[in-house]
């Protein structure tokens, strides 16, 4: 099992929209599906669609077996900017073309985001190339620069350990429960166009203000040691 630890420099921050119809509040950390989408850019740039089990899907679906998590090493702030957006396609009244909508954004200019990928489906060489090929997190405005990539063997472990990376909410937290924030992320079915994705609850070990990842102690059934740190998945 290989891991890739990617050290990203944020240009201004990121905006990853929560699952909703109109409201555009944002996640405090990018979901696994967003992280895998960022990794896929090097390999699938210019390929809009693919076929997954006879359904139309994003080409990123081919990487759905990759595990991913992230931590925010630099302080950040959450703000909802007021934007004037086109809403005409969703209105029954044709005269309504624009609407004022608050859009959530995590600001951390020159901040540092660290992503860990775990996989046994990609060669070491390809994983490193794809990691260096990350240029954004989420939408095209959320630009990042890759400062460093660490590739190594991921050692599967279990038991009591400390981690700064987010993990599924059903993992038992021993110390640090007071700083845990929760988020409902989409599962990998979000890549398939005609399938409704399920929501999976995650625990985010984050300080509230300024927003920053902080270590908590957990009891894990499935985790990986990656360069002296632990990433928990069950």
């Amino acid at each position: 099992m290989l891991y890739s630890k990617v050290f990203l420099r944020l240009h201004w921050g990121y905006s990853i929209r929560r699952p909703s119809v109109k409201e555009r509040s944002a996640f405090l950390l990018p979901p696994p599906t967003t992280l895998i989408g960022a990794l896929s850019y090097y390999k699938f740039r210019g390929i809009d669609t693919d076929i997954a089990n006879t359904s139309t899907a994003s080409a990123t679906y081919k990487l759905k077996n990759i595990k991913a998590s992230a931590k925010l090493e630099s302080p950040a702030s959450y703000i909802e900017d007021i934007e004037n957006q086109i809403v005409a396609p969703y209105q029954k009244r044709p005269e309504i073309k624009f609407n004022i909508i608050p859009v959530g954004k995590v600001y951390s200019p020159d901040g540092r985001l660290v992503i860990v990928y775990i996989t046994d489906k990609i060669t070491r060489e390809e994983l490193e190339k794809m990691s260096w090929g990350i240029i954004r997190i989420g939408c095209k405005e959320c630009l990042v620069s890759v400062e460093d990539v660490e590739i190594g063997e991921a050692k599967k472990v279990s038991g009591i350990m400390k981690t700064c990376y987010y993990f599924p909410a059903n993992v038992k937290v021993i110390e640090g429960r007071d700083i845990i924030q929760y988020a409902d992320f989409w599962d990998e079915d979000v890549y398939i166009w005609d399938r409704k994705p399920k929501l999976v609850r995650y625990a985010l070990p984050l300080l509230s203000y300024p927003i920053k990842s902080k270590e908590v102690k957990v009891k894990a059934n499935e985790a990986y040691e990656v360069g002296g740190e632990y990433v928990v998945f069950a």
Side-chain angles (χ1 to χ4, degrees):
M1 192 76 76
L2 293 173
Y3 78 84
S4 172
K5 188 183 293 186
V6 187
F7 300 88
L8 298 177
R9 185 64 63 182
L10 304 172
H11 287 208
W12 62 268
Y14 49 83
S15 179
I16 315 296
R17 181 183 170 187
R18 290 177 180 271
S20 63
V21 178
K22 180 180 177 182
E23 183 201 13
R24 292 182 179 267
S25 59
F27 289 120
L28 299 182
L29 282 171
T33 49
T34 299
L35 301 179
I36 296 169
L39 185 69
S40 73
Y41 181 80
Y42 172 86
K43 188 171 184 178
F44 299 124
R45 180 183 181 184
I47 303 175
D48 292 329
T49 60
D50 202 346
I51 301 298
N53 300 325
T54 71
S55 298
T56 303
S58 165
T60 306
Y61 186 77
K62 293 180 178 180
L63 304 178
K64 67 183 181 67
N65 292 321
I66 295 178
K67 299 177 184 291
S69 188
K71 68 174 181 178
L72 187 60
E73 286 194 335
S74 303
S77 299
Y78 177 80
I79 298 173
E80 291 191 354
D81 291 337
I82 302 302
E83 295 187 4
N84 191 20
Q85 297 194 353
I86 298 175
V87 295
Y90 314 105
Q91 300 292 328
K92 293 182 179 180
R93 296 168 57 188
E95 68 274 15
I96 301 178
K97 294 182 173 59
F98 298 92
N99 199 358
I100 302 300
I101 298 175
V103 177
K105 298 173 182 177
V106 175
Y107 281 102
S108 183
D110 200 36
R112 200 183 201 197
L113 181 74
V114 182
I115 306 174
V116 171
Y117 298 101
I118 306 289
T119 181
D120 60 355
K121 306 295 184 184
I122 302 176
T123 65
R124 179 186 292 261
E125 182 181 2
E126 185 176 23
L127 180 59
E128 184 170 8
K129 287 181 178 179
M130 292 173 69
S131 298
W132 280 107
I134 296 174
I135 65 168
R136 59 186 172 95
I137 297 294
C139 61
K140 62 184 179 180
E141 292 83 7
C142 304
L143 297 175
V144 298
S145 297
V146 179
E147 291 192 323
D148 195 12
V149 172
E150 177 183 314
I151 305 292
E153 294 290 332
K155 180 182 177 183
K156 189 173 182 180
V157 296
S158 61
I160 296 175
M161 62 196 68
K162 293 182 178 181
T163 185
C164 290
Y165 297 87
Y166 63 71
F167 49 86
N170 57 5
V171 173
K172 183 178 180 180
V173 179
I174 299 174
E175 292 180 6
R177 185 178 296 274
D178 56 320
I179 67 165
I180 295 291
Q181 302 189 46
Y182 295 95
D184 295 321
F185 294 152
W186 280 317
D187 69 359
E188 65 272 8
D189 282 348
V190 72
Y191 299 131
I192 302 177
W193 292 8
D194 62 355
R195 191 176 299 176
K196 185 177 181 180
K198 303 178 184 67
L199 292 175
V200 181
R201 174 151 287 199
Y202 279 79
L204 285 59
L206 286 171
L207 296 174
S208 297
Y209 188 83
I211 301 167
K212 187 179 181 181
S213 295
K214 187 175 181 181
E215 198 172 63
V216 296
K217 183 183 287 188
V218 301
K219 184 177 182 181
N221 294 323
E222 181 189 353
Y224 294 88
E225 183 181 352
V226 292
E229 297 183 306
Y230 295 97
V231 185
V232 178
F233 294 105

